[in-house]
């Protein structure tokens, strides 16, 4: 670091990724990566069943008519152009808020990096093991960039999945395009100008959040291809005067610390810290959902006797899932409900579960659920271990004056409470219940054995949704 020309983060990332060798990556990391892909594919199939991507497809068709391409969209018979396929797959995986999360980085990696790597690998006619390596590389980059500040992207109003995801997707695509060192640096600089994703959806809704993943995937791919064709990007995409750390992050970590974190790529695997969601809702609320379900089963609790509920979550997430309180008590759409702590707690208590069915209109407008949501107030907890864990607790007051309480100190899926690959498999089977869908599991887990990712893409396109 004392050289006259200090190593930039873009160059360091390019060199760290270039040094990755799939044969040297531990078997459990490669296998977990394949299971994370499987989890994303299952979420996409569930989203197709609910026609999550319909309007996005209509928008593409409005520009291009019925023009087809050569790239697979999960559970869709129609092939698309590379960037459109990546955009659609990103929206599908992220569309139900059921995809994985890197908790310390507070971002969703697979919904960006798998679509970007898949479409680029199909374009390059790469074998499966190269797709797997590019995906792992992208995840490792995304995790480290996301961890430059604890919640700093969100405090400045940016969704890190959209911002960091674009830069990491450029790296993943660059691996498959076999960019040299200079081009990989340019790809990151070009991606910086394409990186976006506003958190405004938290205030007044809209469909933008699910679009962030798809946009990041296709924008990162585009940046890598532009660099391949010789376009030059800024060299200091991260630490420059107008780089990501200055413009997108509130109170980033010191630069030396970021360099040290990046230097662990290839020896420390952040992919193993990716959390798989048990409930299709904002991860910040999962501990309270779990607490609600457990309390509902306590001594066969009669929920009619509940007079008041206090939900405690880390103070950092209060603006995202608990404010303004009245609006959170009355979500108008499934997307709003997934970020509405009072609704999530009420539904968990009354239905004693929280699945995709709890996001249907009949539950969103159920008078009993809404009445229970009116009894929920929210409080911010200070001095928690967030974002290493997303804790939560409930206090329920009953008509007879008794109080019930339940704390979930470590949310299910966190590094300190991980889920096994068998959990991911069970979740996939719930999202893809048909026998035909279950028949592809071994092939997805065996992604390394595909001689051509185009064959893998055909397998994904044929995924059933019923």
């Amino acid at each position: 670091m004392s050289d006259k020309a200090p190593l930039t983060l873009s160059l360091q990332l390019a060199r760290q990724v270039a040094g990755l060798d799939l044969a040297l990556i531990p078997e459990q990391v490669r296998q977990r990566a394949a299971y994370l892909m499987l989890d994303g594919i299952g979420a996409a199939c569930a989203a197709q069943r609910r026609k999550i991507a319909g309007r996005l497809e209509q928008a593409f068709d409005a520009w291009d008519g019925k023009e087809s391409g050569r790239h697979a969209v999960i559970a869709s018979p129609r092939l698309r152009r590379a960037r459109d396929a990546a955009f659609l797959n990103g929206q599908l995986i992220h569309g139900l808020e059921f995809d994985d999360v890197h908790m310390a980085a507070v971002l969703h990696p697979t919904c960006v990096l798998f679509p970007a790597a898949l479409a680029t690998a199909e374009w390059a006619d790469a074998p499966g093991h190269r797709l797997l390596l590019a995906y792992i590389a992208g995840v490792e980059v995304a995790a480290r960039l996301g961890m430059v500040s604890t919640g700093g992207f969100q405090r400045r109003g940016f969704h890190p999945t959209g911002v960091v995801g674009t830069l990491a997707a450029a790296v993943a695509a660059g691996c498959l395009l076999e960019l040299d060192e200079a081009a990989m640096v340019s790809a990151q600089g070009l991606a910086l100008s394409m990186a976006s994703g506003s958190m405004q959806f938290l205030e007044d809704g809209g469909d933008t959040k699910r679009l962030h993943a798809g946009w990041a995937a296709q924008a990162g791919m585009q940046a890598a291809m532009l660099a391949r064709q010789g376009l030059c990007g800024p060299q200091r995409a991260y630490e420059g005067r107008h780089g990501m750390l200055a413009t997108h992050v509130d109170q980033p970590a010191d630069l030396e610390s970021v360099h040290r974190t990046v230097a662990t790529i290839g020896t420390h695997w952040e992919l193993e810290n990716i959390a798989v969601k048990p409930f299709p809702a904002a991860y910040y609320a999962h501990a309270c959902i779990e607490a609600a379900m457990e309390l509902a089963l306590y001594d066969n609790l009669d929920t009619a006797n509940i007079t008041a509920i206090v939900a405690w979550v880390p103070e950092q997430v209060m603006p995202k899932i608990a404010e303004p309180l009245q609006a959170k008590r009355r979500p108008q759409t499934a997307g709003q409900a997934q970020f509405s702590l009072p609704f999530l707690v009420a539904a968990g208590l009354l239905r004693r579960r929280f699945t995709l069915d709890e996001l249907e209109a009949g539950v969103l407008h159920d008078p009993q659920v809404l009445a229970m949501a009116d009894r929920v107030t929210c409080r911010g907890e200070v001095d928690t271990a967030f974002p290493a864990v997303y804790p939560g607790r409930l206090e329920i007051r009953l008509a007879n004056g008794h109080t019930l309480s339940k704390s979930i100190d470590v949310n299910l899926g966190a590094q300190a409470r991980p889920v096994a690959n068998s959990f991911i498999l069970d979740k996939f089977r719930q999202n893809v219940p048909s026998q035909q869908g279950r028949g592809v599991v071994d092939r997805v887990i065996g992604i390394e054995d595909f001689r051509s990712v185009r064959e893998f893409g055909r397998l994904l396109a044929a995924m059933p949704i019923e």
Side-chain angles (χ1 to χ4, degrees):
M1 299 299 172
S2 61
D3 295 341
K4 292 182 179 179
L7 188 68
T8 67
L9 282 171
S10 296
L11 181 55
Q12 185 186 12
L13 283 166
R15 290 178 177 175
Q16 293 289 144
V17 168
L20 292 177
D21 182 341
L22 194 65
L24 300 178
I25 296 176
E27 169 63 26
Q28 73 269 16
V29 175
R30 302 200 310 269
Q31 185 180 73
R32 187 66 166 190
Y35 271 95
L36 291 173
M37 290 181 185
L38 183 73
D39 184 60
I41 293 164
C45 289
Q48 283 283 36
R49 191 158 57 247
R50 289 162 174 79
K51 305 187 186 306
I52 288 293
R55 291 181 180 177
L56 182 58
E57 289 185 297
Q58 291 168 11
F60 290 157
D61 291 343
W63 284 113
D64 303 320
K66 294 297 183 181
E67 181 182 339
S68 62
R70 298 183 293 113
H71 296 264
V73 175
I74 298 168
S76 173
R78 181 176 175 186
L79 298 178
R80 293 276 182 174
R81 296 184 306 177
R83 285 171 294 169
D84 291 350
F87 203 141
L88 284 163
N89 283 328
Q91 188 194 22
L92 286 166
I93 294 173
H94 191 46
L96 295 176
E97 202 65 39
F98 212 7
D99 54 312
D100 59 34
V101 177
H102 188 284
M103 291 172 55
V106 199
L107 62 78
H108 301 263
T110 296
C111 62
V112 176
L113 296 161
F114 178 54
L118 173 65
T120 308
E122 286 182 290
W123 181 88
D125 196 20
H129 66 85
R130 289 192 58 212
L131 165 60
L132 183 64
L133 179 61
Y135 167 76
I136 293 173
V139 168
E140 296 300 320
V141 169
R144 285 162 176 81
L145 293 180
M147 291 190 294
V148 298
S149 178
T150 301
F153 290 94
Q154 294 93 330
R155 286 193 297 271
R156 190 153 280 184
F158 290 105
H159 185 199
T161 299
V163 175
V164 170
T166 303
L167 290 146
V171 172
C175 291
L176 288 157
L177 296 178
E178 299 183 317
L179 299 187
D180 62 23
E181 191 173 271
M184 187 68 91
V185 170
S186 276
Q188 294 170 76
L190 292 163
L192 175 64
S193 283
M194 304 178 190
S196 62
S198 168
M199 297 292 287
Q200 181 60 27
F201 66 88
L202 288 174
E203 181 178 348
D204 46 22
D207 296 319
T208 55
K209 184 176 189 290
R210 65 179 58 152
L211 296 176
H212 294 167
W215 177 262
Q218 66 90 26
M221 289 169 54
Q222 184 68 75
M225 184 59 79
L226 291 172
R228 185 176 185 266
Q229 302 307 316
L231 274 77
C232 185
Q235 304 297 288
R236 301 174 72 231
Y238 304 103
E239 66 272 65
R241 179 182 176 188
H242 302 294
M244 187 192 78
L245 297 180
T247 58
H248 289 73
V249 182
D250 176 28
Q251 299 177 339
D254 68 273
L255 194 56
E256 289 291 330
S257 175
V258 179
H259 275 289
R260 288 194 298 271
T261 301
V262 168
T264 64
I265 291 177
T267 57
H268 170 75
W269 302 101
E270 286 295 333
L271 185 142
E272 293 187 295
N273 295 331
I274 292 177
V276 174
K277 282 189 173 183
F279 310 121
Y283 219 165
Y284 309 127
H286 277 214
C288 283
I289 295 172
E290 185 178 355
M293 292 164 53
E294 290 198 19
L295 285 170
L297 295 170
Y298 175 78
D299 198 23
N300 199 24
L301 172 67
D302 184 354
T303 54
N305 291 327
I306 295 175
T307 60
I309 305 163
V310 180
W312 297 81
V313 291
E315 62 176 353
Q316 299 96 320
V317 307
M318 284 287 289
K320 302 175 181 67
I321 61 174
E323 299 170 351
L325 180 59
Q326 196 52 42
K328 294 298 185 182
R329 286 171 169 168
R330 289 292 182 275
Q332 299 302 303
T333 66
Q336 291 177 12
Q338 290 168 312
F339 280 80
S340 299
L341 184 59
F343 170 84
L344 296 170
V345 168
L349 279 168
L350 288 170
R351 297 176 67 87
R352 303 184 180 188
R353 63 178 191 175
F354 198 87
T355 69
L356 290 169
D357 290 341
E358 277 59 62
L359 295 169
E360 297 294 340
V363 180
L364 291 179
H365 306 299
D366 184 332
Q368 288 185 303
V369 174
L370 297 179
M372 187 66 72
D374 284 338
R375 299 171 201 165
V376 178
T377 56
C378 306
R379 297 285 184 271
E381 197 95 71
V382 298
D383 297 327
T384 71
F386 179 87
V389 296
Y390 296 174
R393 63 187 173 99
L394 293 184
E395 294 178 357
I396 296 178
R397 289 195 290 275
L398 302 178
N400 62 7
H402 291 170
T403 299
L404 302 177
S405 64
K406 179 67 180 182
S407 295
I408 303 293
D409 296 326
V410 179
N411 57 293
L412 183 60
Q415 184 179 1
R417 194 182 167 204
V419 300
N421 289 338
S422 58
F423 179 97
I424 298 175
L425 184 58
D426 288 342
K427 178 182 169 183
F428 177 83
R429 288 169 174 163
Q430 292 169 10
N431 283 329
V432 189
S434 73
Q435 194 62 40
Q436 180 186 353
R438 296 179 182 184
V440 307
V441 169
D442 289 342
R443 302 199 69 195
V444 174
I445 301 305
I447 177 66
E448 292 184 53
D449 298 330
F450 277 86
R451 297 188 351 185
S452 171
V453 171
R454 291 176 183 172
E455 179 189 353
F456 183 67
R458 290 194 293 272
L459 174 74
L460 298 186
M463 288 288 295
I465 61 175
E466 299 299 337

